[in-house]
Amino acid sequence: MPPAIDPASSAPGPTGPDDAPARQVPPGPAPTPAVPARNGTIAWALGFLAYFPIPFVGLLIAGITQLVVGLRQRRYGALAAVNGVRAANWGLTQLCWPVLMALTMLIAVLTGSPSSSGNGMMFRPVMNVLVFTVLGLFFVVSLLEAVYAIVGTVMASKGRRVRLPVIPFLRAPRD
């Protein structure tokens, strides 16, 4: 006797891999997208603000934002806190130079005398050397900012601890 044919299985229509029943979606909340690990990259990347098109203002903006954002990275713990505090220390380090330059210029002006032609100030010879040294160091810090912003951003984005030399004003949290 031939086997009985089920009328539901003999329904007309194509058969093949496209006719597979739809996958059942499990009940519950939808999966949340993965959040990238916080590693302090943003604090280092903000160093590029130093190249704001107004001279000297860019370094001030970069130093202040790296300080603020770097310290805010502490809330994310671990690598973000360490890299953030290191970026904040670099922000404070680069903020020292404009302050040092302003103090040097102020002392130079206060100790100088008007020029004989009436066109400016005559600095004492020691102040000339000091003013040009501080200005030269300021430009060195500007170049270092580019290097530190690139290296710090790349190292932090790879999930590595940034170990660039900075003045350690602030301590990183302990691991």
Side-chain angles (χ1 to χ4, degrees):
M1 175 171 229
I5 298 178
D6 183 18
S9 65
S10 63
T15 58
D18 292 337
D19 283 345
R23 288 189 178 162
Q24 295 293 325
V25 177
T32 58
V35 176
R38 303 275 183 157
N39 49 21
T41 304
I42 187 69
W44 284 101
L46 286 170
F48 290 111
L49 287 174
Y51 298 98
F52 189 74
I54 300 173
F56 303 108
V57 174
L59 269 173
L60 292 172
I61 291 171
I64 292 168
T65 55
Q66 280 187 293
L67 173 63
V68 171
V69 173
L71 289 177
R72 292 187 56 104
Q73 295 297 307
R74 286 180 172 180
R75 72 172 72 166
Y76 302 115
L79 185 61
V82 172
N83 285 342
V85 169
R86 184 70 106 176
N89 279 331
W90 172 243
L92 282 172
T93 301
Q94 67 184 348
L95 285 174
C96 288
W97 294 109
V99 171
L100 181 63
M101 187 175 70
L103 288 174
T104 304
M105 294 299 285
L106 179 68
I107 292 169
V109 168
L110 291 176
T111 60
S113 58
S115 68
S116 58
S117 64
N119 295 334
M121 297 286 292
M122 292 291 295
F123 295 149
R124 302 202 182 277
V126 168
M127 289 311 297
N128 280 333
V129 171
L130 189 59
V131 166
F132 286 115
T133 301
V134 170
L135 281 173
L137 288 174
F138 188 75
F139 288 112
V140 168
V141 168
S142 297
L143 290 175
L144 270 178
E145 176 57 39
V147 172
Y148 275 35
I150 293 168
V151 172
T153 302
V154 169
M155 287 178 73
S157 69
K158 289 182 177 181
R160 295 175 43 202
R161 184 177 290 213
V162 179
R163 296 186 188 269
L164 296 171
V166 298
I167 299 174
F169 293 106
L170 308 166
R171 274 195 332 193
R174 298 195 176 162
D175 292 340

